[in-house]
Amino acid sequence: MIGGGKDAFIGAVHRLAMNMDGQVELVAGALSINPDIAVESGKMLFLDEDRIYTDYKVLLEKEAAMPADKRIDFVSIVTPNFVHFPPAMMALEKGFNVVIEKPITFTLDEAKQLKVKLEETGLSLLLCHTYTGYPMVKQAKQLVKSGALGNIRKVYVEYPQGWLSTFLEKTGQAQASWRTDPKKSGKAGCMGDIGTHAFNLAEYVTGLQVTELCSNINIVVEGRMLDDDGAAFLKFDNGATGVLMATQIAAGEENNVKIRVYGEKGGIEWKHEDANTLLVKWLDKPTEIYRTGGGYNSSFAAHNTRTPAGHPEGFLEAFGNLYRNFALTVRAKIDGEQPKDEWLDFPGVEEGVRGMAFVENVIESGKSDVKWKEFIV
Amino acid sequence: MIGGGKDAFIGAVHRLAMNMDGQVELVAGALSINPDIAVESGKMLFLDEDRIYTDYKVLLEKEAAMPADKRIDFVSIVTPNFVHFPPAMMALEKGFNVVIEKPITFTLDEAKQLKVKLEETGLSLLLCHTYTGYPMVKQAKQLVKSGALGNIRKVYVEYPQGWLSTFLEKTGQAQASWRTDPKKSGKAGCMGDIGTHAFNLAEYVTGLQVTELCSNINIVVEGRMLDDDGAAFLKFDNGATGVLMATQIAAGEENNVKIRVYGEKGGIEWKHEDANTLLVKWLDKPTEIYRTGGGYNSSFAAHNTRTPAGHPEGFLEAFGNLYRNFALTVRAKIDGEQPKDEWLDFPGVEEGVRGMAFVENVIESGKSDVKWKEFIV
Amino acid sequence: MIGGGKDAFIGAVHRLAMNMDGQVELVAGALSINPDIAVESGKMLFLDEDRIYTDYKVLLEKEAAMPADKRIDFVSIVTPNFVHFPPAMMALEKGFNVVIEKPITFTLDEAKQLKVKLEETGLSLLLCHTYTGYPMVKQAKQLVKSGALGNIRKVYVEYPQGWLSTFLEKTGQAQASWRTDPKKSGKAGCMGDIGTHAFNLAEYVTGLQVTELCSNINIVVEGRMLDDDGAAFLKFDNGATGVLMATQIAAGEENNVKIRVYGEKGGIEWKHEDANTLLVKWLDKPTEIYRTGGGYNSSFAAHNTRTPAGHPEGFLEAFGNLYRNFALTVRAKIDGEQPKDEWLDFPGVEEGVRGMAFVENVIESGKSDVKWKEFIV
Amino acid sequence: MIGGGKDAFIGAVHRLAMNMDGQVELVAGALSINPDIAVESGKMLFLDEDRIYTDYKVLLEKEAAMPADKRIDFVSIVTPNFVHFPPAMMALEKGFNVVIEKPITFTLDEAKQLKVKLEETGLSLLLCHTYTGYPMVKQAKQLVKSGALGNIRKVYVEYPQGWLSTFLEKTGQAQASWRTDPKKSGKAGCMGDIGTHAFNLAEYVTGLQVTELCSNINIVVEGRMLDDDGAAFLKFDNGATGVLMATQIAAGEENNVKIRVYGEKGGIEWKHEDANTLLVKWLDKPTEIYRTGGGYNSSFAAHNTRTPAGHPEGFLEAFGNLYRNFALTVRAKIDGEQPKDEWLDFPGVEEGVRGMAFVENVIESGKSDVKWKEFIV
């Protein structure tokens, strides 16, 4: 693991997700750029002392030099955005598979370079768009794919948060500080941090791709350096339209990501607040409540479910599903076997490239007086 | 009543709303342009035969000629949009107060003419934006007005319907036929029919006014003559922004109008599906559930509540509140008394003018390649 | 109307319910035992002065003496429980149909006398178990009746309120005072006031009858004279069992009556808080959300629905449904026509007798050390 | 781990819960009484071959013989009920701490023996009443304890399931087979399996103890050997009363455990379906929505929360909390430190004894014609 020292939020989440299924063991780490914290954090995690590194380059060098049965199988990169690309590229060059937090890189160009490198090496990359790990999101995708809703016409996707309602970065809060800093976060704040999740969710569930967009991007809290609020109209490649909303200044909101998709015959609605429920609406019959664990679900939902219906599966399980599917795929490839379709259903570099393109296009559109902007990758 | 013969949807709703509080009695009607239906409908409603008219002009003429204690106090116009203005203007000229369905007129210019006439005559006009009649919508407005949420920053308002998901007007269904016909409905379909409700709700609850907008207007169902789907970014006069969504092709949706407003300190959420609940969210304390009938509500909510907490008040009660407040105001004015603030809190010609301006601006923006359009009244 | 002077809660509700559909006109009243209030209330309701009475006996005498086309068609009795029977019996003797608040009488014996008299006279009686007027409660009954759920096995019905959490009657509050007074309310407080609603709802929806019960009856608030809390195990005539809970000391609760019924193949759930929704659960497929106004509903639900799906119908509409069905039935009988099955689906004297039997049996069981008590009518 | 071979439900859940926080490592197992399955399961879990046992006695003997720094710290017993006591007692005798599935033993007497042994040895025991591991259940307990609700008056607790709606054991389904078999499950079916959860939840949240009960116990599905449905009236040691409902034949229900507790000033409501929400109701102000991760929560809720507000924590996290608190306590005791109050807040032998007493009392009451039965431990 690179990054994710003690007190880092997302590193801890990654470790919980890894541990969950007993398929993955954390054995080495360069957990902080601060050597003292790196060492202290490594000890807290029971790492062998000789595999606690203070520099990710050293980690990758030394692990690569170990025998195949001892060295790491993949590396998880959970650093701020501006430190995604260098360790990811180096890891691929050293022959390691990669898990990386979203957004995949600092710039679109870096994402494309990773894509090329992955094609060259045949290695795997997991990009942590966690929401696509929920069984009911997978069920939504399969329902759309099955054609049950007819041709898709309209998509609403939203991600309201309230945690940046105040000028939090001024207080020195670590999360707020780097996420609102263009040098560390990139061109976008809100749009990069949660807008990319909404965008990914829309494309994942519908199986469609955005071709044009028109955005309104705002900095609401005075003094902030990056956008903390925005919305975009979307056009998809089948002619459907959509609205995407993401904000970090919706005071009182938690992380209630929500998607609604409507086709000719019906629609689906999923929201994070009630993550084990999928509403399926029909033109002329009662709305149905699909639930995690229901015997009527697709193999994709079932494969990503751990407990019987009625036992809520949460965010960590969704995250764990990403790791589990990635691990199953990596192991199958190592073993020379063909991974199952259900295992391969995790976000990767293609989603990363499109996510970075979203960031670039949505920010550019926000600055433009022209309404529609072609979605350029 | 003008319009609203047997089988007309909204005329029946008006009569239910009128009846509710026993404050209003229907005594005369020109209920259809078809004389047979007009007569038959009048008889079904137990009208005196000499006050069943087959022409609204005759109705207004004859009623105006009656003695003051016998003639109607006001006229309700529940005809399709293109027959709003002529009877409304004539009624005002004859000295009658007016209740009118939204949108107020066929064109913005007509709405402005009504406004001038109302100022000249001192008469009253009720425009049926029903959602503002719900106690919890009134409570939301009062909470915003009190400053409890701080300065308002973001507004999301939406009105998803599914009833026009198919090419229903082709089947001859009466509602669908006139509402999708530009000769009867006006410049807009979806935006006029339900977009105006969403727009009005946003301005009503926030007390703010839209100054600019950027819209995406669509005809989704092939063959349809007017928009059946759309969305708009909004800018408000205090600098807040918003997103408005209205669609009639969200297959499986009923009439789940919803508004969310966020200020510096908290936010509110109200949705039609759970109309007696208002969620009040806070930056740093638990969300509160305000309920119709709660002893903690404002006088505006309390005045518009008929039953103790826990007895759901529905759409007809909200509609009845509009009629009751209008009737209380008209009677007070007849009696030379000052209506209470709570009574005066009903939508009127000002909302009608702004609603028509919304229709014109949102449709024009939809056709434009330039992103933002000034909201011109 | 007998009782229901100004400030009386339920009288006002009755008038709203009557008015709703324009089928019923209030023309005469003995609205209070206090003559001044009776007169003042009558004037407020625009009654003709010669039909404002100060004594129900005089009302019934004088109205009975009027010509058939002028006198009242039925009388609504909205007095406290101990003044239900005398005016009801006298009204029937005078040939008037009767609307009466629940519980139908002060004692079971009185209820039986009314039943005999109704059989003798062929007149109609409406007992105001309002919850059975909701479209989705009617739909629940029809679903059970259709056999879709299979044989019924389990019933949970509950009515939690919080308004008597304090010793409210001590403050002189009118409602609390008579409802907790055994001389005015009868043998039971909570069980009579809301327990009877829960009991009626269970028998109505399932179409079954209780044959045995075992109760726990409590006075929770010190100083109170009647039960304010209780629960009962139920046995039904098909072998199913149930649990009934009713309380008035659930601090913070409104009137969230709820019923769940489970058969071999599925179950239904309805709650007052979300009255336009009926959940239909299945052993092996997704739960379905039935909604008021849905095209898939039975004729019984449809007949009791006024507005299209998505426009919430509330308590007053449910109450209005009782009045409307009663009025339709009375008119049909006057006209010598056969009322439709949908019209006849309102609670009457049979439900009244069983409700009074519930009061007597549940209170007696509460005092007994023996577990099960036969349900004796 | 004893029991929990491949395909066993609850063993897998235990392993997920153990893994979650990286505090516990599974190193040895006697995973099945079938030696082949024991070995195969051990290999699937990457156990060292010499610590894969085919007999729990051998496991306990051999592990006890290992040096202190190598042998297991505690043993998890996840066998059917009738194989709880022997390994638990032997483990305690060998000096191992114990984790055990509920109900703790086959008989009340066995539970009492474990209690004595635990007092003698000073070892720790975790009993897996998972619902008490949810942050919002802990918050509910703390709210009651704080006195904010006033004296507690009423408790409703329910656990409806539908999975035994059919004669599932006849099909040979493993779970159904042993859970409905009195030789393996004990005196009770439904009441032991889920009734004990409901009972424990009521005592945990209120801090009160049941002193008397009156039950109705049923076998609904023909041919079944143990109860699959039941309810009980409860009396608590402070004078409060309650109703407990548990059923396995509520067709269409999942595992929606729910508890409501009412005091003089307010009440709380928690349900498994929405496990990260706690409703707090008040006599005279809006209901509050407490949420997992809210900054206003008690230290007990906060300690058991892994992710920021808005990231749903599910059943496995609740289960993980039990394991984590147990592990923290065991380690502190090993290290000679005083465990924190938040760590000690896990169910143990006392809850086990009361749970077994519940089983015995509720079944005995079910057979009795006398209404109330003293709750004898």
Side-chain angles (χ1 to χ4, degrees):
Chain A
M1 176 169 280
I2 296 172
K6 58 169 195 162
D7 302 337
F9 159 58
I10 203 71
V13 169
H14 276 253
R15 287 190 295 269
L16 288 160
M18 282 177 198
N19 287 333
M20 185 162 285
D21 296 293
Q23 302 266 357
V24 173
E25 193 181 358
L26 180 65
V27 292
L31 301 164
S32 174
I33 48 169
N34 178 323
D36 291 345
I37 294 179
V39 172
E40 189 186 345
S41 302
K43 286 182 181 169
M44 283 170 63
L45 295 167
F46 310 111
L47 298 187
D48 286 349
E49 290 206 19
D50 60 345
R51 295 177 91 174
I52 301 176
Y53 305 92
T54 54
D55 182 328
Y56 76 80
K57 289 174 203 154
V58 180
L59 181 150
L60 293 170
E61 292 285 359
K62 293 219 174 166
E63 291 287 329
M66 289 184 188
D69 65 335
K70 181 126 201 294
R71 69 174 170 236
I72 56 172
D73 293 315
F74 67 87
V75 62
S76 287
I77 301 169
V78 296
T79 48
N81 305 353
F82 74 113
V83 199
H84 282 188
F85 177 74
M89 184 54 93
M90 183 172 168
L92 293 174
E93 283 166 351
K94 294 290 178 187
F96 296 120
N97 298 286
V98 170
V99 175
I100 200 164
E101 253 307 311
K102 44 73 11 209
I104 191 168
T105 47
F106 197 66
T107 67
L108 172 56
D109 183 63
E110 291 172 351
K112 289 180 183 171
Q113 290 182 49
L114 288 184
K115 187 179 172 190
V116 170
K117 180 61 70 180
L118 281 154
E119 284 162 1
E120 281 173 20
T121 59
L123 291 164
S124 295
L125 181 144
L126 165 65
L127 181 69
C128 295
H129 281 303
T130 313
Y131 304 103
T132 63
Y134 279 105
M136 287 300 97
V137 171
K138 293 195 177 287
Q139 183 64 17
K141 181 186 180 66
Q142 296 303 319
L143 267 169
V144 171
K145 200 176 172 185
S146 75
L149 308 182
N151 193 28
I152 298 305
R153 293 164 159 186
K154 195 79 199 180
V155 179
Y156 297 123
V157 63
E158 57 183 80
Y159 198 143
Q161 285 184 332
W163 74 292
L164 287 177
S165 290
T166 61
F167 196 17
L168 192 59
E169 56 270 45
K170 204 186 165 187
T171 69
Q173 205 255 17
Q175 289 293 319
S177 296
W178 79 257
R179 287 180 197 270
T180 60
D181 180 353
K183 289 184 199 139
K184 296 182 177 166
S185 209
K187 284 189 185 171
C190 175
M191 283 295 147
D193 200 21
I194 58 174
T196 49
H197 276 309
F199 174 81
N200 174 256
L201 193 58
E203 291 204 339
Y204 177 75
V205 169
T206 62
L208 302 174
Q209 290 203 326
V210 170
T211 56
E212 287 182 73
L213 55 70
C214 163
S215 74
N216 169 224
I217 304 295
N218 305 299
I219 295 178
V220 172
V221 173
E222 216 181 304
R224 185 154 289 158
M225 286 187 291
L226 284 173
D227 58 292
D228 50 17
D229 172 80
F233 302 144
L234 307 174
K235 289 188 186 172
F236 291 90
D237 51 3
N238 75 334
T241 60
V243 182
L244 178 152
M245 296 169 286
T247 188
Q248 299 176 312
I249 55 86
E253 294 292 345
E254 297 179 341
N255 285 284
N256 197 10
V257 202
K258 179 177 170 182
I259 185 162
R260 289 173 283 180
V261 175
Y262 300 96
E264 295 158 309
K265 303 176 195 167
I268 60 95
E269 176 177 331
W270 178 86
K271 57 182 177 180
H272 197 208
E273 196 178 75
D274 189 14
N276 292 295
T277 292
L278 176 70
L279 296 180
V280 184
K281 307 180 182 193
W282 301 106
L283 260 187
D284 47 14
K285 53 183 183 174
T287 292
E288 292 174 312
I289 305 177
Y290 280 63
R291 295 273 298 161
T292 302
Y296 42 75
N297 285 323
S298 68
S299 64
F300 286 79
H303 168 68
N304 288 284
T305 303
R306 286 172 185 75
T307 44
H311 298 84
E313 307 224 357
F315 181 78
L316 294 174
E317 284 79 4
F319 215 127
N321 288 336
L322 266 55
Y323 262 100
R324 190 164 72 107
N325 288 327
F326 177 71
L328 289 168
T329 296
V330 166
R331 188 174 303 163
K333 285 166 76 174
I334 289 171
D335 296 349
E337 290 165 13
Q338 173 59 27
K340 292 189 192 171
D341 286 351
E342 287 82 356
W343 304 353
L344 288 166
D345 186 24
F346 61 83
V349 75
E350 187 57 39
E351 287 78 5
V353 169
R354 290 196 63 79
M356 289 311 299
F358 171 72
V359 167
E360 306 238 339
N361 284 285
V362 83
I363 294 298
E364 197 172 322
S365 170
K367 291 176 185 159
S368 168
D369 292 336
V370 179
K371 192 187 276 180
W372 290 100
K373 184 187 179 310
E374 191 187 351
F375 189 90
I376 299 170
V377 181
Chain B
M1 176 169 282
I2 296 172
K6 58 167 195 162
D7 302 334
F9 158 56
I10 204 69
V13 169
H14 276 253
R15 287 189 295 268
L16 287 161
M18 282 177 194
N19 285 335
M20 186 163 284
D21 297 292
Q23 301 266 356
V24 172
E25 194 181 356
L26 179 66
V27 292
L31 300 166
S32 175
I33 48 169
N34 177 322
D36 290 344
I37 294 179
V39 171
E40 189 187 346
S41 302
K43 284 181 181 170
M44 282 170 63
L45 296 167
F46 310 111
L47 298 187
D48 287 350
E49 289 204 21
D50 60 345
R51 294 176 91 174
I52 300 176
Y53 306 92
T54 54
D55 181 329
Y56 76 80
K57 287 174 205 153
V58 179
L59 180 151
L60 293 171
E61 291 284 0
K62 292 221 173 160
E63 291 287 327
M66 289 185 187
D69 66 335
K70 182 123 199 296
R71 71 174 170 237
I72 57 173
D73 291 316
F74 67 88
V75 62
S76 288
I77 300 169
V78 295
T79 48
N81 303 353
F82 73 111
V83 199
H84 281 188
F85 177 73
M89 184 55 92
M90 183 173 169
L92 293 175
E93 283 166 351
K94 293 291 178 186
F96 295 119
N97 298 286
V98 170
V99 175
I100 200 163
E101 253 307 312
K102 46 85 344 225
I104 192 168
T105 48
F106 197 66
T107 67
L108 172 56
D109 183 63
E110 289 173 351
K112 289 180 183 172
Q113 290 181 50
L114 288 185
K115 187 177 172 191
V116 169
K117 180 60 70 179
L118 280 156
E119 284 162 0
E120 281 172 20
T121 58
L123 290 165
S124 294
L125 181 144
L126 165 64
L127 180 70
C128 294
H129 280 303
T130 312
Y131 305 101
T132 64
Y134 278 105
M136 287 301 96
V137 171
K138 293 194 178 288
Q139 184 64 16
K141 181 186 179 67
Q142 297 303 317
L143 267 169
V144 171
K145 199 175 172 186
S146 76
L149 307 182
N151 192 30
I152 297 306
R153 293 164 158 185
K154 195 79 199 179
V155 178
Y156 296 124
V157 65
E158 57 183 80
Y159 198 143
Q161 285 183 333
W163 74 292
L164 288 177
S165 291
T166 61
F167 196 15
L168 192 59
E169 56 269 46
K170 204 186 165 184
T171 68
Q173 203 253 19
Q175 289 292 320
S177 297
W178 79 257
R179 286 180 197 269
T180 61
D181 180 352
K183 289 185 199 136
K184 294 182 178 167
S185 209
K187 284 188 185 174
C190 176
M191 283 295 147
D193 200 21
I194 59 174
T196 48
H197 275 310
F199 174 82
N200 174 256
L201 193 56
E203 291 204 341
Y204 177 76
V205 168
T206 62
L208 301 173
Q209 290 202 330
V210 170
T211 56
E212 285 181 75
L213 55 71
C214 163
S215 73
N216 169 223
I217 304 295
N218 305 300
I219 295 178
V220 173
V221 173
E222 216 182 305
R224 185 154 289 157
M225 287 186 291
L226 286 173
D227 57 291
D228 50 18
D229 172 78
F233 302 144
L234 307 173
K235 289 187 186 175
F236 292 90
D237 51 3
N238 76 334
T241 60
V243 181
L244 179 153
M245 294 168 288
T247 189
Q248 297 176 312
I249 54 86
E253 294 292 344
E254 297 178 341
N255 286 283
N256 197 8
V257 202
K258 178 175 170 183
I259 185 163
R260 289 172 285 179
V261 174
Y262 300 97
E264 296 158 308
K265 302 174 194 169
I268 60 96
E269 176 178 331
W270 179 86
K271 57 181 177 180
H272 197 210
E273 196 178 73
D274 189 15
N276 293 295
T277 291
L278 175 70
L279 295 180
V280 184
K281 307 179 182 195
W282 301 104
L283 261 187
D284 47 13
K285 53 181 184 177
T287 293
E288 293 174 312
I289 305 177
Y290 279 63
R291 294 273 299 160
T292 302
Y296 42 75
N297 285 323
S298 68
S299 64
F300 285 78
H303 169 67
N304 289 283
T305 303
R306 286 172 185 77
T307 43
H311 298 82
E313 307 223 357
F315 182 79
L316 294 174
E317 285 79 6
F319 215 127
N321 288 337
L322 265 56
Y323 262 100
R324 190 165 71 110
N325 288 327
F326 176 71
L328 289 168
T329 296
V330 165
R331 189 173 301 163
K333 284 166 77 174
I334 289 172
D335 296 349
E337 288 166 15
Q338 174 58 29
K340 291 189 190 171
D341 285 351
E342 287 83 355
W343 304 353
L344 288 166
D345 186 23
F346 62 82
V349 75
E350 187 56 38
E351 286 79 4
V353 169
R354 289 196 64 78
M356 289 310 299
F358 171 73
V359 168
E360 308 238 338
N361 283 285
V362 85
I363 294 299
E364 196 172 321
S365 170
K367 291 175 185 160
S368 169
D369 291 336
V370 179
K371 191 187 277 179
W372 290 101
K373 182 185 182 312
E374 191 188 352
F375 188 92
I376 298 169
V377 181
Chain C
M1 177 169 281
I2 297 172
K6 60 168 193 162
D7 302 336
F9 158 57
I10 203 70
V13 169
H14 276 252
R15 287 189 296 267
L16 287 162
M18 283 177 197
N19 286 334
M20 186 164 284
D21 296 293
Q23 301 265 357
V24 173
E25 193 180 358
L26 179 66
V27 292
L31 300 165
S32 174
I33 49 169
N34 177 322
D36 291 345
I37 293 180
V39 172
E40 190 187 344
S41 302
K43 286 182 180 170
M44 282 170 63
L45 295 167
F46 310 113
L47 299 186
D48 287 349
E49 289 205 18
D50 61 345
R51 294 176 90 174
I52 301 175
Y53 305 92
T54 54
D55 182 329
Y56 76 81
K57 289 175 204 153
V58 180
L59 180 151
L60 293 171
E61 291 285 0
K62 293 221 172 162
E63 291 288 327
M66 288 184 186
D69 65 335
K70 180 124 201 296
R71 70 175 169 235
I72 55 173
D73 291 314
F74 67 89
V75 63
S76 287
I77 301 170
V78 295
T79 48
N81 304 353
F82 73 112
V83 199
H84 281 187
F85 176 73
M89 184 54 93
M90 183 172 169
L92 293 175
E93 282 165 351
K94 294 291 179 188
F96 295 119
N97 297 287
V98 170
V99 175
I100 200 164
E101 253 309 309
K102 45 88 341 230
I104 192 169
T105 48
F106 197 66
T107 67
L108 172 57
D109 182 64
E110 291 172 352
K112 289 180 182 171
Q113 290 182 50
L114 287 185
K115 187 179 170 187
V116 170
K117 179 60 70 179
L118 280 155
E119 284 162 1
E120 282 173 22
T121 59
L123 291 164
S124 295
L125 181 144
L126 165 64
L127 180 69
C128 294
H129 280 304
T130 312
Y131 305 102
T132 64
Y134 278 105
M136 286 301 96
V137 171
K138 294 194 177 287
Q139 182 65 17
K141 180 186 180 68
Q142 297 303 319
L143 268 169
V144 172
K145 200 176 173 185
S146 75
L149 307 182
N151 192 29
I152 297 306
R153 294 163 158 189
K154 194 78 197 178
V155 179
Y156 296 123
V157 63
E158 56 182 82
Y159 198 143
Q161 285 183 331
W163 75 291
L164 288 177
S165 291
T166 61
F167 196 16
L168 192 59
E169 56 269 47
K170 204 186 165 185
T171 68
Q173 203 255 18
Q175 288 292 319
S177 297
W178 79 257
R179 286 181 197 269
T180 62
D181 181 352
K183 289 185 198 138
K184 295 183 176 165
S185 207
K187 284 189 184 173
C190 175
M191 283 295 147
D193 200 21
I194 59 175
T196 49
H197 275 309
F199 173 81
N200 174 256
L201 193 57
E203 291 203 339
Y204 176 76
V205 169
T206 61
L208 302 174
Q209 290 202 328
V210 170
T211 56
E212 286 182 77
L213 55 71
C214 163
S215 74
N216 169 225
I217 304 295
N218 304 299
I219 296 178
V220 173
V221 173
E222 216 183 304
R224 184 154 291 158
M225 287 186 292
L226 285 172
D227 57 292
D228 50 18
D229 173 78
F233 302 144
L234 307 174
K235 289 188 186 172
F236 292 90
D237 51 5
N238 75 335
T241 60
V243 181
L244 178 153
M245 295 168 286
T247 188
Q248 298 176 311
I249 54 86
E253 294 292 345
E254 298 179 340
N255 285 284
N256 196 10
V257 201
K258 179 176 169 182
I259 185 162
R260 288 172 285 179
V261 175
Y262 300 97
E264 295 158 309
K265 302 176 195 168
I268 59 95
E269 175 176 332
W270 179 86
K271 58 182 176 179
H272 197 209
E273 198 178 73
D274 189 14
N276 293 296
T277 291
L278 176 70
L279 296 180
V280 184
K281 306 178 183 194
W282 301 104
L283 261 187
D284 47 14
K285 52 182 184 174
T287 292
E288 293 174 311
I289 306 177
Y290 279 65
R291 294 274 298 161
T292 302
Y296 42 76
N297 285 322
S298 68
S299 64
F300 286 79
H303 168 68
N304 288 282
T305 302
R306 287 171 185 76
T307 44
H311 299 83
E313 307 223 357
F315 181 79
L316 295 174
E317 285 79 6
F319 216 127
N321 288 337
L322 267 56
Y323 262 100
R324 190 164 71 107
N325 288 327
F326 176 72
L328 289 167
T329 296
V330 165
R331 189 173 302 162
K333 284 166 76 174
I334 289 172
D335 295 350
E337 290 165 14
Q338 175 58 28
K340 292 188 190 172
D341 285 351
E342 287 83 355
W343 305 354
L344 287 166
D345 186 23
F346 62 82
V349 75
E350 187 56 38
E351 286 78 5
V353 169
R354 289 196 64 78
M356 290 310 298
F358 171 73
V359 168
E360 307 238 338
N361 283 286
V362 83
I363 294 298
E364 197 173 319
S365 169
K367 292 175 184 159
S368 169
D369 292 335
V370 178
K371 192 188 277 180
W372 290 101
K373 184 189 180 306
E374 191 188 352
F375 189 91
I376 299 169
V377 180
Chain D
M1 175 171 282
I2 297 171
K6 57 167 196 162
D7 302 336
F9 159 57
I10 203 71
V13 169
H14 276 253
R15 287 190 294 268
L16 287 162
M18 282 176 196
N19 288 333
M20 186 163 285
D21 296 293
Q23 302 266 354
V24 173
E25 194 182 355
L26 180 65
V27 291
L31 301 165
S32 175
I33 48 170
N34 177 325
D36 291 344
I37 294 179
V39 172
E40 189 188 346
S41 302
K43 285 182 183 170
M44 282 169 64
L45 295 168
F46 311 111
L47 298 186
D48 286 350
E49 290 205 18
D50 61 345
R51 295 177 92 174
I52 300 176
Y53 306 91
T54 54
D55 181 328
Y56 76 81
K57 287 173 205 154
V58 179
L59 180 150
L60 294 171
E61 292 285 359
K62 292 220 173 164
E63 292 286 329
M66 288 185 188
D69 65 335
K70 182 126 201 293
R71 70 174 170 235
I72 57 172
D73 291 315
F74 66 89
V75 63
S76 288
I77 300 169
V78 296
T79 48
N81 304 353
F82 73 113
V83 198
H84 282 188
F85 176 73
M89 184 55 93
M90 182 173 169
L92 293 175
E93 283 165 351
K94 294 290 178 187
F96 296 119
N97 297 287
V98 170
V99 175
I100 200 163
E101 253 307 311
K102 45 81 354 220
I104 191 167
T105 48
F106 197 66
T107 67
L108 172 56
D109 183 62
E110 291 172 351
K112 288 179 183 171
Q113 290 181 49
L114 288 184
K115 187 178 172 189
V116 171
K117 180 60 72 181
L118 280 155
E119 284 162 0
E120 282 172 21
T121 59
L123 291 165
S124 294
L125 181 144
L126 164 65
L127 181 69
C128 294
H129 281 303
T130 313
Y131 305 102
T132 64
Y134 279 105
M136 288 300 96
V137 171
K138 293 194 177 286
Q139 184 64 16
K141 180 185 179 66
Q142 296 304 318
L143 267 169
V144 171
K145 200 176 173 186
S146 75
L149 307 182
N151 193 29
I152 297 306
R153 293 164 159 186
K154 194 80 198 179
V155 179
Y156 297 123
V157 64
E158 58 183 79
Y159 198 143
Q161 285 183 333
W163 75 292
L164 287 177
S165 291
T166 61
F167 195 16
L168 192 59
E169 56 270 46
K170 204 186 166 186
T171 69
Q173 204 253 19
Q175 288 294 319
S177 297
W178 78 258
R179 287 181 197 269
T180 61
D181 179 352
K183 289 184 200 140
K184 296 183 176 165
S185 208
K187 285 190 183 173
C190 176
M191 283 295 149
D193 200 22
I194 58 173
T196 48
H197 275 309
F199 174 81
N200 174 256
L201 193 57
E203 291 204 342
Y204 177 76
V205 169
T206 62
L208 302 173
Q209 290 202 328
V210 170
T211 55
E212 286 181 75
L213 56 69
C214 164
S215 74
N216 170 223
I217 305 295
N218 305 300
I219 295 178
V220 173
V221 173
E222 217 182 304
R224 185 154 289 157
M225 287 185 292
L226 285 173
D227 57 291
D228 51 17
D229 171 79
F233 302 144
L234 308 173
K235 289 187 185 174
F236 292 90
D237 51 3
N238 76 333
T241 61
V243 182
L244 179 152
M245 295 169 287
T247 189
Q248 298 176 312
I249 55 86
E253 294 292 345
E254 297 179 343
N255 286 282
N256 197 9
V257 202
K258 179 175 169 183
I259 185 163
R260 289 172 284 178
V261 174
Y262 300 97
E264 296 158 310
K265 301 175 194 167
I268 59 95
E269 176 177 331
W270 179 86
K271 57 181 176 179
H272 197 209
E273 195 178 75
D274 189 14
N276 292 295
T277 291
L278 176 70
L279 295 180
V280 184
K281 306 180 182 194
W282 301 104
L283 261 186
D284 46 14
K285 53 183 183 175
T287 292
E288 291 174 313
I289 305 177
Y290 279 63
R291 294 273 298 161
T292 301
Y296 42 75
N297 285 323
S298 68
S299 64
F300 285 79
H303 168 68
N304 289 283
T305 303
R306 285 171 186 77
T307 44
H311 299 83
E313 307 223 357
F315 182 78
L316 294 174
E317 285 78 6
F319 215 126
N321 288 336
L322 266 55
Y323 261 99
R324 191 164 71 108
N325 288 327
F326 176 72
L328 288 168
T329 296
V330 166
R331 187 173 303 162
K333 285 166 76 174
I334 289 172
D335 295 349
E337 290 166 13
Q338 174 58 29
K340 292 189 191 171
D341 286 351
E342 287 82 356
W343 305 353
L344 289 166
D345 186 24
F346 62 83
V349 75
E350 187 57 40
E351 285 78 5
V353 169
R354 290 196 62 79
M356 289 311 299
F358 171 73
V359 167
E360 307 239 337
N361 284 285
V362 83
I363 294 299
E364 196 172 321
S365 170
K367 292 174 184 161
S368 169
D369 292 337
V370 179
K371 192 187 277 180
W372 291 100
K373 180 183 183 313
E374 192 187 351
F375 188 92
I376 298 170
V377 180

